[in-house]
Amino acid sequence: MRLTAQEIFDKLVNDDKILTKKGRITFSLGEIDIIVRQKDVVGNIMQEWMEGWFRKNDIEFAPNDNTQMPPDFYLNPQNKKLDLLEIKAFYYKRGPGFDIADFRMYEKEIAQKPWMLDVSYLIFGYDMTEDGIVTIKKVWLKKVWELSRPMKSGNNKTVWPINLQIKQGTVHKIRPAKWYGISKDFAVYSNMEDFLAAMEETVYKNKDTRDDGPDWLSTLIKNYKDFYGIDLNLPRWKDIERKYVLR
């Protein structure tokens, strides 16, 4: 059976009623059995749990051998440019702390493979009690721009158009916004075009990707047109900044 990301979301939430279920993680080695109470472990296990869920429900999928880039699963194994699904999970009381992707790898990937912009992110916000009981508090299905926003970094509060992990002045990972709730400082991107304008500005702003800048947008637009038959019309970052940097 082949399902889309939306159909998988609907089945999990409405048919399987995952928000009402309880789980527990155990580990056995030799004669010792323990209940795992480390909350960070749950995030890694949810991807493997989804594989088991796919098999139990006889849903077609193929895992991605490249663990460094989305997606985790191809829902259409015969065409790996369609129906792409990434699994993310985080401890709900802390807020999203996972990585979306390595920035340098991602900016190159979406320029060369524009279908990567259509990856669906199935996100689980979980809780764990002191006894190790795991429950799912919220489930979301999002696109990458719905997880992204600008940020301020450093002592001078430099504005970056994309929320990033920056260590010693070097950009590493794209990090998610807290897309639920209301922020007084930043807004989540409302559409793909604005997100791509933010990506282009970040490519130029980041010293390690600045050399990609002159050709990045033209490559993306050409490959997007070749694949989707659509001419992208992207705004300039300076024209939309005030929509997303609120103060």
Side-chain angles (χ1 to χ4, degrees), residues 51-107:
E51 284 198 41
W53 186 85
F54 288 148
R55 292 191 176 95
K56 181 179 184 298
N57 290 279
D58 195 27
I59 296 169
E60 287 188 55
F61 77 98
N64 185 359
D65 294 331
N66 182 0
T67 59
Q68 299 301 310
M69 288 294 297
D72 291 320
F73 300 113
Y74 301 101
L75 300 179
N76 185 343
Q78 286 71 46
N79 186 344
K80 294 183 177 180
K81 297 178 182 179
L82 300 174
D83 297 325
L84 313 178
L85 184 67
E86 177 81 355
I87 307 299
K88 297 294 184 184
F90 67 95
Y91 182 43
Y92 187 69
K93 292 179 181 178
R94 273 190 211 143
F98 54 82
D99 296 327
I100 293 176
D102 176 88
F103 177 77
R104 188 163 196 174
M105 291 175 65
Y106 189 77
E107 57 95 359

Side-chain angles (χ1 to χ4, degrees), residues 8-14 16-18 49 53 122 124:
I8 285 170
F9 175 87
D10 292 341
K11 182 171 177 56
L12 278 167
V13 175
N14 301 322
D16 289 11
K17 301 189 185 307
I18 193 172
W49 183 88
W53 186 85
L122 182 62
F124 299 90

Side-chain angles (χ1 to χ4, degrees), residues 26 37 42 45 56 68 108 112 115 130 135 140 149 154 172 186 199 201 203 216 222 226 229 240 243 247:
T26 61
R37 296 179 175 86
V42 181
I45 285 178
K56 181 179 184 298
Q68 299 301 310
K108 290 179 181 293
Q112 297 295 332
W115 55 87
E130 293 181 359
T135 54
W140 298 268
R149 62 158 172 80
H172 290 277
F186 305 104
M199 283 291 298
E201 181 71 10
V203 167
W216 185 84
K222 177 186 181 301
D226 289 345
I240 63 169
K243 287 172 58 178
R247 68 176 184 182

Side-chain angles (χ1 to χ4, degrees), residues 19-36:
L19 298 179
T20 69
K21 306 298 184 184
K22 294 182 180 180
R24 179 175 273 171
I25 302 168
T26 61
F27 177 70
S28 298
L29 182 61
E31 298 179 356
I32 307 299
D33 299 331
I34 65 167
I35 296 169
V36 177

